[in-house]
Amino acid sequence: MSWRVIVRTEGRVRRTRHASLEEALRALEDAARAAERGPGRDAVDLRVRRFEPGELVAARIELSGPRHPLPSVRAGVDVRGDRRATAWRGRLARASVEVPDGESPYRALRRALGAAR
């Protein structure tokens, strides 16, 4: 089985393959935490609408697998312009993963995927 992690940030795309879900989740968390430490995004004013940093996605880290080309799992983490990470599941219709108080979005994603440690 092969898991893919795709990191999209600042117009660049980086793809990696991993043998296990745990290894892929570790790579996803490492990439997202690096994006959280990076520069945030400024608000974007289009005159008709203003987008605040929390509404902008600075980095998207996607996880898919184990099958290819139609993976059964699609999930990931968006790092917003205010450096806040949010976990999600799904491909076209993304659904936010609920993050209880005191839990990180990475742990919540692991729980949602059944890979909690």
Side-chain angles (χ1 to χ4, degrees):
M1 292 198 287
S2 178
W3 294 86
R4 290 176 43 157
V5 174
I6 301 172
V7 180
R8 290 182 172 88
T9 183
E10 297 179 4
R12 290 180 294 237
V13 179
R14 191 177 79 236
R15 294 174 175 87
T16 57
R17 290 192 183 275
H18 305 276
S20 68
L21 174 59
E22 183 57 37
E23 189 179 309
L25 284 167
R26 219 175 1 257
L28 178 143
E29 183 173 351
D30 290 345
R33 289 201 186 270
E36 285 177 354
R37 291 187 301 270
R41 300 274 314 260
D42 294 329
V44 175
D45 191 354
L46 299 176
R47 294 187 187 193
V48 294
R49 178 155 184 219
R50 180 179 170 88
F51 294 93
E52 296 301 325
E55 296 176 284
L56 302 171
V57 175
R60 173 166 287 151
I61 300 90
E62 297 180 35
L63 168 74
S64 64
R67 296 190 317 253
H68 190 72
L70 297 174
S72 57
V73 174
R74 294 272 188 173
V77 171
D78 287 346
V79 177
R80 302 286 176 173
D82 59 1
R83 299 183 184 158
R84 182 178 39 94
T86 56
W88 52 268
R89 290 190 68 172
R91 173 73 176 160
L92 296 176
R94 287 191 183 98
S96 293
V97 173
E98 186 176 329
V99 181
D101 287 341
E103 186 175 52
S104 75
Y106 311 107
R107 186 158 179 81
L109 184 61
R110 287 176 188 280
R111 181 179 35 78
L113 296 177
R117 38 175 185 164

